[in-house]
Amino acid sequence: MHVKVLYDLISENDKREFNIEWTPWSAFAYNKTCNCNRSGLHIRSNGDVAACSESPGKDATDDYTFGNIFENNFSLKRLVNNKKLNDYRKEFAEGYGTYVCMFSRRL
């Protein structure tokens, strides 16, 4: 999983720094590297609420972060009803999209 994440970051760097766009593909079926992202949410020490404890942080991508508990107007109810989170869970359940998991012991 760490290799996949490395390639994702290199790809992002190439896009930002050199205007070269390319998509790294996972060796896993359907370009997925995680099977358990629907089990719940993870709150990081900085307060970010993420799909999984091992999903990339906001510095790499905002795709896996759904809120922050330290925000003044944070609401668990709003988070649970959040369109971004629900779209993410629906997409994951239907088996399409791109996901990265750095925690290989879960697979």
Side-chain angles (χ1 to χ4, degrees):
M1 296 337 114
H2 300 291
V3 173
K4 171 67 167 101
V5 171
L6 175 63
Y7 277 103
D8 286 336
L9 294 174
I10 291 171
S11 172
E12 183 62 28
N13 185 67
D14 282 351
K15 180 177 161 186
R16 290 181 186 185
E17 297 295 322
F18 305 107
N19 203 27
I20 298 170
E21 293 191 41
W22 58 281
T23 302
W25 293 98
S26 169
F28 291 84
Y30 308 110
N31 197 36
K32 295 193 181 331
T33 57
C34 180
N35 295 318
C36 59
N37 251 346
R38 289 183 46 79
S39 61
L41 294 171
H42 174 80
I43 300 173
R44 298 197 162 123
S45 61
N46 67 357
D48 283 346
V49 180
C52 169
S53 63
E54 299 301 323
S55 50
K58 286 191 301 190
D59 56 333
T61 177
D62 196 38
D63 292 344
Y64 303 93
T65 304
F66 305 102
N68 187 295
I69 63 168
F70 297 131
E71 292 173 351
N72 287 333
N73 61 350
F74 177 80
S75 162
L76 185 58
K77 183 176 180 177
R78 267 197 315 273
L79 177 74
V80 170
N81 293 318
N82 182 292
K83 178 175 175 15
K84 180 180 173 184
L85 173 61
N86 287 305
D87 287 350
Y88 171 82
R89 287 183 164 173
K90 180 180 176 188
E91 178 182 322
F92 192 88
E94 291 179 3
Y96 62 90
T98 304
Y99 302 90
V100 177
C101 179
M102 298 180 288
F103 195 35
S104 60
R105 288 177 291 175
R106 285 189 171 174
L107 297 176

